[in-house]
Amino acid sequence: MKTRILFVCHGNICRSPMAEFIMKHLVAQAGHSKDFIISSAATTTEELGNDIYPNAKAELKRHRIPFEHRHARQIKSSDYNDWDYIIAMDQENLDDISYIVGHDPEKKVWLLMSF
């Protein structure tokens, strides 16, 4: 069974996609890519459909972190059932996730800095 991790920030064009691709890179380096599904999403609709912010791409390139073209998407309540870990980039994102997905009886929702 694969571990499913969803990183979430405000617009899904900077922090959460960077966390997604950094985690994918770390997992690949450890030889465990087949054991994980990793993605990212936004709490808002502001950037829906947009690719990663150019400065975020530049930073990933600078650190030789591979990434691909993608489209920002918003987290939805059904995501709670689809992911093992839903990781917010900051407290505001955590609050917004709670509003969107509701209760967290399985303790899946975390703040990034908790790890």
Tab-separated table of all heavy atoms in Angstrom, residues 19-71:
chain	number	residue	atom	x	y	z
A	19	ALA	N	7.094	21.916	-2.003
A	19	ALA	CA	7.142	20.810	-1.040
A	19	ALA	C	6.863	19.487	-1.741
A	19	ALA	O	7.530	18.476	-1.470
A	19	ALA	CB	6.123	21.046	0.072
A	20	GLU	N	5.896	19.483	-2.656
A	20	GLU	CA	5.575	18.271	-3.421
A	20	GLU	C	6.798	17.752	-4.166
A	20	GLU	O	7.150	16.570	-4.053
A	20	GLU	CB	4.458	18.590	-4.420
A	20	GLU	CG	4.189	17.487	-5.419
A	20	GLU	CD	3.220	17.885	-6.526
A	20	GLU	OE1	2.552	18.942	-6.419
A	20	GLU	OE2	3.129	17.121	-7.512
A	21	PHE	N	7.455	18.622	-4.932
A	21	PHE	CA	8.578	18.167	-5.757
A	21	PHE	C	9.830	17.886	-4.938
A	21	PHE	O	10.598	16.982	-5.283
A	21	PHE	CB	8.829	19.151	-6.899
A	21	PHE	CG	7.716	19.121	-7.912
A	21	PHE	CD1	6.900	20.212	-8.101
A	21	PHE	CD2	7.458	17.966	-8.638
A	21	PHE	CE1	5.856	20.174	-9.009
A	21	PHE	CE2	6.418	17.907	-9.549
A	21	PHE	CZ	5.608	19.011	-9.749
A	22	ILE	N	10.035	18.594	-3.851
A	22	ILE	CA	11.155	18.276	-2.957
A	22	ILE	C	10.939	16.904	-2.335
A	22	ILE	O	11.856	16.076	-2.295
A	22	ILE	CB	11.335	19.370	-1.879
A	22	ILE	CG1	11.844	20.666	-2.516
A	22	ILE	CG2	12.274	18.898	-0.775
A	22	ILE	CD1	11.755	21.883	-1.615
A	23	MET	N	9.723	16.637	-1.866
A	23	MET	CA	9.435	15.334	-1.263
A	23	MET	C	9.564	14.219	-2.290
A	23	MET	O	10.132	13.159	-1.992
A	23	MET	CB	8.042	15.352	-0.631
A	23	MET	CG	7.724	14.098	0.142
A	23	MET	SD	8.781	13.961	1.603
A	23	MET	CE	7.900	12.707	2.496
A	24	LYS	N	9.061	14.439	-3.495
A	24	LYS	CA	9.215	13.430	-4.558
A	24	LYS	C	10.695	13.146	-4.815
A	24	LYS	O	11.090	11.999	-5.010
A	24	LYS	CB	8.531	13.900	-5.845
A	24	LYS	CG	7.030	13.803	-5.809
A	24	LYS	CD	6.407	14.306	-7.111
A	24	LYS	CE	4.906	14.131	-7.111
A	24	LYS	NZ	4.281	14.675	-8.341
A	25	HIS	N	11.501	14.203	-4.818
A	25	HIS	CA	12.937	14.055	-5.045
A	25	HIS	C	13.592	13.256	-3.913
A	25	HIS	O	14.383	12.335	-4.166
A	25	HIS	CB	13.566	15.444	-5.174
A	25	HIS	CG	15.033	15.442	-5.412
A	25	HIS	ND1	15.591	14.986	-6.584
A	25	HIS	CD2	16.063	15.841	-4.626
A	25	HIS	CE1	16.911	15.096	-6.500
A	25	HIS	NE2	17.219	15.619	-5.325
A	26	LEU	N	13.263	13.596	-2.672
A	26	LEU	CA	13.837	12.876	-1.528
A	26	LEU	C	13.434	11.404	-1.525
A	26	LEU	O	14.268	10.523	-1.269
A	26	LEU	CB	13.405	13.542	-0.217
A	26	LEU	CG	13.946	14.946	0.040
A	26	LEU	CD1	13.264	15.560	1.257
A	26	LEU	CD2	15.462	14.916	0.201
A	27	VAL	N	12.188	11.145	-1.838
A	27	VAL	CA	11.689	9.772	-1.882
A	27	VAL	C	12.389	8.997	-3.008
A	27	VAL	O	12.784	7.845	-2.826
A	27	VAL	CB	10.145	9.777	-2.042
A	27	VAL	CG1	9.617	8.429	-2.452
A	27	VAL	CG2	9.485	10.242	-0.756
A	28	ALA	N	12.566	9.636	-4.157
A	28	ALA	CA	13.258	8.993	-5.278
A	28	ALA	C	14.709	8.697	-4.931
A	28	ALA	O	15.220	7.598	-5.225
A	28	ALA	CB	13.177	9.876	-6.521
A	29	GLN	N	15.370	9.659	-4.289
A	29	GLN	CA	16.770	9.438	-3.883
A	29	GLN	C	16.893	8.263	-2.926
A	29	GLN	O	17.901	7.560	-2.938
A	29	GLN	CB	17.339	10.691	-3.222
A	29	GLN	CG	17.687	11.788	-4.187
A	29	GLN	CD	18.344	12.956	-3.482
A	29	GLN	OE1	17.946	13.371	-2.398
A	29	GLN	NE2	19.365	13.518	-4.129
A	30	ALA	N	15.884	8.059	-2.105
A	30	ALA	CA	15.896	6.950	-1.148
A	30	ALA	C	15.447	5.642	-1.790
A	30	ALA	O	15.462	4.600	-1.132
A	30	ALA	CB	15.003	7.291	0.048
A	31	GLY	N	15.047	5.699	-3.057
A	31	GLY	CA	14.631	4.499	-3.767
A	31	GLY	C	13.232	4.017	-3.407
A	31	GLY	O	12.919	2.844	-3.556
A	32	HIS	N	12.364	4.936	-2.977
A	32	HIS	CA	11.026	4.551	-2.534
A	32	HIS	C	9.895	5.206	-3.326
A	32	HIS	O	8.761	5.276	-2.830
A	32	HIS	CB	10.855	4.876	-1.043
A	32	HIS	CG	11.724	4.051	-0.166
A	32	HIS	ND1	11.505	2.712	0.049
A	32	HIS	CD2	12.837	4.373	0.524
A	32	HIS	CE1	12.437	2.238	0.865
A	32	HIS	NE2	13.262	3.228	1.168
A	33	SER	N	10.155	5.669	-4.521
A	33	SER	CA	9.123	6.348	-5.311
A	33	SER	C	7.870	5.499	-5.472
A	33	SER	O	6.755	6.018	-5.450
A	33	SER	CB	9.656	6.715	-6.691
A	33	SER	OG	10.645	7.701	-6.583
A	34	LYS	N	8.050	4.207	-5.613
A	34	LYS	CA	6.895	3.323	-5.827
A	34	LYS	C	6.029	3.182	-4.581
A	34	LYS	O	4.904	2.699	-4.662
A	34	LYS	CB	7.358	1.958	-6.305
A	34	LYS	CG	8.154	1.182	-5.273
A	34	LYS	CD	8.617	-0.149	-5.810
A	34	LYS	CE	9.395	-1.006	-4.875
A	34	LYS	NZ	9.927	-0.483	-3.662
A	35	ASP	N	6.529	3.654	-3.436
A	35	ASP	CA	5.808	3.513	-2.173
A	35	ASP	C	4.972	4.738	-1.805
A	35	ASP	O	4.287	4.727	-0.778
A	35	ASP	CB	6.794	3.240	-1.028
A	35	ASP	CG	7.589	1.968	-1.254
A	35	ASP	OD1	7.024	1.002	-1.800
A	35	ASP	OD2	8.781	1.950	-0.892
A	36	PHE	N	5.032	5.790	-2.619
A	36	PHE	CA	4.373	7.050	-2.280
A	36	PHE	C	3.593	7.629	-3.451
A	36	PHE	O	3.987	7.469	-4.606
A	36	PHE	CB	5.410	8.101	-1.851
A	36	PHE	CG	6.031	7.841	-0.524
A	36	PHE	CD1	7.142	7.009	-0.420
A	36	PHE	CD2	5.530	8.426	0.621
A	36	PHE	CE1	7.732	6.752	0.810
A	36	PHE	CE2	6.119	8.181	1.855
A	36	PHE	CZ	7.219	7.342	1.947
A	37	ILE	N	2.533	8.325	-3.128
A	37	ILE	CA	1.832	9.215	-4.042
A	37	ILE	C	1.878	10.585	-3.367
A	37	ILE	O	1.460	10.732	-2.214
A	37	ILE	CB	0.378	8.787	-4.281
A	37	ILE	CG1	0.343	7.405	-4.942
A	37	ILE	CG2	-0.360	9.834	-5.123
A	37	ILE	CD1	-1.048	6.814	-5.057
A	38	ILE	N	2.425	11.573	-4.060
A	38	ILE	CA	2.644	12.893	-3.482
A	38	ILE	C	2.089	13.941	-4.436
A	38	ILE	O	2.369	13.909	-5.637
A	38	ILE	CB	4.152	13.127	-3.233
A	38	ILE	CG1	4.712	12.035	-2.316
A	38	ILE	CG2	4.391	14.519	-2.656
A	38	ILE	CD1	6.225	11.939	-2.315
A	39	SER	N	1.321	14.874	-3.899
A	39	SER	CA	0.730	15.929	-4.713
A	39	SER	C	0.577	17.190	-3.866
A	39	SER	O	1.041	17.237	-2.731
A	39	SER	CB	-0.623	15.470	-5.263
A	39	SER	OG	-1.091	16.382	-6.237
A	40	SER	N	-0.085	18.200	-4.443
A	40	SER	CA	-0.312	19.447	-3.709
A	40	SER	C	-1.606	20.099	-4.175
A	40	SER	O	-2.139	19.769	-5.237
A	40	SER	CB	0.878	20.398	-3.886
A	40	SER	OG	1.062	20.735	-5.251
A	41	ALA	N	-2.089	21.031	-3.350
A	41	ALA	CA	-3.348	21.722	-3.635
A	41	ALA	C	-3.365	23.078	-2.930
A	41	ALA	O	-2.509	23.368	-2.095
A	41	ALA	CB	-4.535	20.873	-3.178
A	42	ALA	N	-4.381	23.868	-3.249
A	42	ALA	CA	-4.576	25.197	-2.672
A	42	ALA	C	-5.782	25.203	-1.745
A	42	ALA	O	-6.665	24.353	-1.861
A	42	ALA	CB	-4.815	26.213	-3.786
A	43	THR	N	-5.817	26.198	-0.883
A	43	THR	CA	-7.015	26.401	-0.073
A	43	THR	C	-7.961	27.394	-0.739
A	43	THR	O	-9.123	27.477	-0.364
A	43	THR	CB	-6.673	26.913	1.341
A	43	THR	OG1	-5.967	28.148	1.227
A	43	THR	CG2	-5.856	25.899	2.107
A	44	THR	N	-7.473	28.151	-1.722
A	44	THR	CA	-8.282	29.180	-2.378
A	44	THR	C	-8.412	28.894	-3.871
A	44	THR	O	-7.760	27.994	-4.399
A	44	THR	CB	-7.641	30.575	-2.213
A	44	THR	OG1	-6.425	30.615	-2.968
A	44	THR	CG2	-7.377	30.902	-0.759
A	45	THR	N	-9.213	29.704	-4.537
A	45	THR	CA	-9.410	29.560	-5.985
A	45	THR	C	-8.605	30.574	-6.788
A	45	THR	O	-8.664	30.574	-8.018
A	45	THR	CB	-10.905	29.735	-6.336
A	45	THR	OG1	-11.331	31.030	-5.921
A	45	THR	CG2	-11.755	28.673	-5.660
A	46	GLU	N	-7.822	31.399	-6.130
A	46	GLU	CA	-7.137	32.522	-6.787
A	46	GLU	C	-6.227	32.130	-7.946
A	46	GLU	O	-6.117	32.848	-8.928
A	46	GLU	CB	-6.314	33.312	-5.767
A	46	GLU	CG	-7.159	34.033	-4.760
A	46	GLU	CD	-6.324	34.659	-3.662
A	46	GLU	OE1	-5.127	34.933	-3.861
A	46	GLU	OE2	-6.892	34.889	-2.587
A	47	GLU	N	-5.552	31.009	-7.830
A	47	GLU	CA	-4.554	30.629	-8.828
A	47	GLU	C	-4.930	29.360	-9.594
A	47	GLU	O	-4.090	28.788	-10.294
A	47	GLU	CB	-3.194	30.412	-8.147
A	47	GLU	CG	-2.628	31.639	-7.468
A	47	GLU	CD	-2.149	32.706	-8.436
A	47	GLU	OE1	-2.009	32.434	-9.654
A	47	GLU	OE2	-1.926	33.847	-7.980
A	48	LEU	N	-6.175	28.936	-9.505
A	48	LEU	CA	-6.590	27.693	-10.148
A	48	LEU	C	-6.166	27.655	-11.612
A	48	LEU	O	-6.359	28.615	-12.350
A	48	LEU	CB	-8.101	27.494	-10.050
A	48	LEU	CG	-8.665	27.258	-8.653
A	48	LEU	CD1	-10.153	26.947	-8.734
A	48	LEU	CD2	-7.933	26.148	-7.927
A	49	GLY	N	-5.575	26.543	-12.012
A	49	GLY	CA	-5.138	26.363	-13.391
A	49	GLY	C	-3.759	26.878	-13.690
A	49	GLY	O	-3.190	26.550	-14.731
A	50	ASN	N	-3.190	27.692	-12.807
A	50	ASN	CA	-1.863	28.263	-13.062
A	50	ASN	C	-0.761	27.268	-12.723
A	50	ASN	O	-0.902	26.420	-11.854
A	50	ASN	CB	-1.671	29.550	-12.263
A	50	ASN	CG	-2.551	30.662	-12.774
A	50	ASN	OD1	-2.921	30.684	-13.945
A	50	ASN	ND2	-2.894	31.586	-11.906
A	51	ASP	N	0.359	27.409	-13.424
A	51	ASP	CA	1.539	26.592	-13.187
A	51	ASP	C	2.304	27.157	-11.984
A	51	ASP	O	1.929	28.186	-11.413
A	51	ASP	CB	2.418	26.600	-14.440
A	51	ASP	CG	3.505	25.529	-14.436
A	51	ASP	OD1	3.476	24.624	-13.585
A	51	ASP	OD2	4.396	25.607	-15.312
A	52	ILE	N	3.388	26.516	-11.648
A	52	ILE	CA	4.249	26.957	-10.549
A	52	ILE	C	4.772	28.365	-10.852
A	52	ILE	O	5.140	28.668	-11.988
A	52	ILE	CB	5.437	25.997	-10.362
A	52	ILE	CG1	4.954	24.575	-10.100
A	52	ILE	CG2	6.339	26.453	-9.219
A	52	ILE	CD1	6.063	23.539	-10.134
A	53	TYR	N	4.834	29.192	-9.830
A	53	TYR	CA	5.351	30.558	-9.941
A	53	TYR	C	6.794	30.514	-10.457
A	53	TYR	O	7.590	29.663	-10.024
A	53	TYR	CB	5.274	31.219	-8.562
A	53	TYR	CG	5.619	32.666	-8.533
A	53	TYR	CD1	4.818	33.606	-9.172
A	53	TYR	CD2	6.742	33.112	-7.852
A	53	TYR	CE1	5.128	34.954	-9.135
A	53	TYR	CE2	7.064	34.454	-7.810
A	53	TYR	CZ	6.250	35.369	-8.457
A	53	TYR	OH	6.568	36.702	-8.416
A	54	PRO	N	7.161	31.397	-11.386
A	54	PRO	CA	8.510	31.357	-11.976
A	54	PRO	C	9.653	31.376	-10.951
A	54	PRO	O	10.654	30.669	-11.122
A	54	PRO	CB	8.542	32.604	-12.868
A	54	PRO	CG	7.111	32.805	-13.254
A	54	PRO	CD	6.324	32.412	-12.022
A	55	ASN	N	9.539	32.169	-9.894
A	55	ASN	CA	10.608	32.199	-8.889
A	55	ASN	C	10.721	30.869	-8.150
A	55	ASN	O	11.811	30.463	-7.745
A	55	ASN	CB	10.393	33.334	-7.899
A	55	ASN	CG	10.632	34.695	-8.515
A	55	ASN	OD1	11.050	34.813	-9.666
A	55	ASN	ND2	10.341	35.735	-7.765
A	56	ALA	N	9.603	30.182	-7.943
A	56	ALA	CA	9.630	28.863	-7.304
A	56	ALA	C	10.304	27.858	-8.229
A	56	ALA	O	11.105	27.034	-7.778
A	56	ALA	CB	8.217	28.417	-6.947
A	57	LYS	N	10.009	27.933	-9.529
A	57	LYS	CA	10.681	27.062	-10.506
A	57	LYS	C	12.191	27.298	-10.483
A	57	LYS	O	12.980	26.345	-10.511
A	57	LYS	CB	10.156	27.319	-11.917
A	57	LYS	CG	8.793	26.787	-12.198
A	57	LYS	CD	8.445	27.084	-13.662
A	57	LYS	CE	7.060	26.651	-14.003
A	57	LYS	NZ	6.732	26.924	-15.421
A	58	ALA	N	12.580	28.563	-10.452
A	58	ALA	CA	14.005	28.912	-10.448
A	58	ALA	C	14.693	28.336	-9.220
A	58	ALA	O	15.831	27.835	-9.305
A	58	ALA	CB	14.179	30.427	-10.514
A	59	GLU	N	14.030	28.401	-8.090
A	59	GLU	CA	14.625	27.869	-6.858
A	59	GLU	C	14.751	26.345	-6.926
A	59	GLU	O	15.766	25.771	-6.506
A	59	GLU	CB	13.783	28.291	-5.648
A	59	GLU	CG	14.453	28.080	-4.324
A	59	GLU	CD	15.709	28.916	-4.117
A	59	GLU	OE1	15.919	29.940	-4.809
A	59	GLU	OE2	16.514	28.534	-3.243
A	60	LEU	N	13.744	25.678	-7.455
A	60	LEU	CA	13.832	24.227	-7.634
A	60	LEU	C	14.985	23.877	-8.577
A	60	LEU	O	15.766	22.966	-8.291
A	60	LEU	CB	12.507	23.663	-8.164
A	60	LEU	CG	11.335	23.681	-7.184
A	60	LEU	CD1	10.029	23.363	-7.910
A	60	LEU	CD2	11.559	22.706	-6.034
A	61	LYS	N	15.103	24.614	-9.680
A	61	LYS	CA	16.202	24.381	-10.630
A	61	LYS	C	17.551	24.589	-9.951
A	61	LYS	O	18.488	23.814	-10.163
A	61	LYS	CB	16.082	25.319	-11.833
A	61	LYS	CG	14.996	24.941	-12.799
A	61	LYS	CD	14.931	25.951	-13.954
A	61	LYS	CE	13.753	25.683	-14.846
A	61	LYS	NZ	13.602	26.694	-15.901
A	62	ARG	N	17.647	25.642	-9.155
A	62	ARG	CA	18.907	25.969	-8.475
A	62	ARG	C	19.376	24.814	-7.598
A	62	ARG	O	20.576	24.572	-7.466
A	62	ARG	CB	18.724	27.241	-7.645
A	62	ARG	CG	20.013	27.805	-7.062
A	62	ARG	CD	19.795	29.203	-6.505
A	62	ARG	NE	19.178	29.223	-5.211
A	62	ARG	CZ	19.817	29.015	-4.062
A	62	ARG	NH1	21.099	28.747	-4.061
A	62	ARG	NH2	19.173	29.075	-2.925
A	63	HIS	N	18.434	24.095	-7.027
A	63	HIS	CA	18.758	22.966	-6.154
A	63	HIS	C	18.672	21.618	-6.874
A	63	HIS	O	18.726	20.572	-6.221
A	63	HIS	CB	17.823	22.970	-4.937
A	63	HIS	CG	18.085	24.113	-4.018
A	63	HIS	ND1	19.123	24.126	-3.109
A	63	HIS	CD2	17.457	25.316	-3.887
A	63	HIS	CE1	19.110	25.261	-2.445
A	63	HIS	NE2	18.119	26.002	-2.904
A	64	ARG	N	18.511	21.684	-8.194
A	64	ARG	CA	18.435	20.479	-9.031
A	64	ARG	C	17.305	19.535	-8.601
A	64	ARG	O	17.470	18.319	-8.568
A	64	ARG	CB	19.777	19.767	-9.065
A	64	ARG	CG	20.859	20.572	-9.719
A	64	ARG	CD	22.145	19.778	-9.842
A	64	ARG	NE	23.132	20.518	-10.600
A	64	ARG	CZ	24.082	21.271	-10.044
A	64	ARG	NH1	24.153	21.373	-8.737
A	64	ARG	NH2	24.954	21.889	-10.798
A	65	ILE	N	16.181	20.130	-8.259
A	65	ILE	CA	14.983	19.372	-7.890
A	65	ILE	C	14.108	19.287	-9.146
A	65	ILE	O	13.654	20.311	-9.656
A	65	ILE	CB	14.176	20.062	-6.760
A	65	ILE	CG1	15.042	20.358	-5.545
A	65	ILE	CG2	12.926	19.260	-6.419
A	65	ILE	CD1	15.482	19.165	-4.762
A	66	PRO	N	13.885	18.091	-9.665
A	66	PRO	CA	13.050	17.980	-10.864
A	66	PRO	C	11.593	18.340	-10.575
A	66	PRO	O	11.082	18.084	-9.480
A	66	PRO	CB	13.176	16.514	-11.269
A	66	PRO	CG	13.798	15.801	-10.141
A	66	PRO	CD	14.396	16.804	-9.214
A	67	PHE	N	10.950	18.941	-11.556
A	67	PHE	CA	9.526	19.284	-11.441
A	67	PHE	C	8.926	19.206	-12.829
A	67	PHE	O	9.629	19.087	-13.826
A	67	PHE	CB	9.336	20.679	-10.825
A	67	PHE	CG	9.936	21.791	-11.633
A	67	PHE	CD1	9.183	22.453	-12.584
A	67	PHE	CD2	11.263	22.168	-11.448
A	67	PHE	CE1	9.740	23.481	-13.334
A	67	PHE	CE2	11.827	23.185	-12.188
A	67	PHE	CZ	11.063	23.847	-13.141
A	68	GLU	N	7.621	19.249	-12.873
A	68	GLU	CA	6.926	19.195	-14.155
A	68	GLU	C	5.857	20.280	-14.202
A	68	GLU	O	5.448	20.805	-13.163
A	68	GLU	CB	6.294	17.811	-14.342
A	68	GLU	CG	5.335	17.474	-13.230
A	68	GLU	CD	5.247	15.983	-12.938
A	68	GLU	OE1	6.211	15.252	-13.150
A	68	GLU	OE2	4.172	15.573	-12.474
A	69	HIS	N	5.431	20.588	-15.416
A	69	HIS	CA	4.336	21.532	-15.595
A	69	HIS	C	3.099	20.974	-14.900
A	69	HIS	O	2.836	19.774	-14.938
A	69	HIS	CB	4.060	21.731	-17.088
A	69	HIS	CG	2.931	22.650	-17.368
A	69	HIS	ND1	3.042	24.020	-17.260
A	69	HIS	CD2	1.655	22.394	-17.726
A	69	HIS	CE1	1.883	24.564	-17.556
A	69	HIS	NE2	1.015	23.604	-17.843
A	70	ARG	N	2.367	21.840	-14.247
A	70	ARG	CA	1.186	21.395	-13.511
A	70	ARG	C	0.173	22.518	-13.449
A	70	ARG	O	0.479	23.654	-13.840
A	70	ARG	CB	1.578	20.944	-12.102
A	70	ARG	CG	2.357	22.021	-11.349
A	70	ARG	CD	2.783	21.639	-9.973
A	70	ARG	NE	1.706	21.216	-9.124
A	70	ARG	CZ	0.762	21.993	-8.631
A	70	ARG	NH1	0.739	23.274	-8.922
A	70	ARG	NH2	-0.173	21.517	-7.844
A	71	HIS	N	-1.010	22.216	-12.968
A	71	HIS	CA	-2.081	23.208	-12.828
A	71	HIS	C	-2.531	23.240	-11.381
A	71	HIS	O	-2.857	22.191	-10.813
A	71	HIS	CB	-3.274	22.854	-13.718
A	71	HIS	CG	-2.935	22.836	-15.176
A	71	HIS	ND1	-2.781	23.987	-15.913
A	71	HIS	CD2	-2.709	21.819	-16.028
A	71	HIS	CE1	-2.480	23.670	-17.150
A	71	HIS	NE2	-2.428	22.361	-17.247
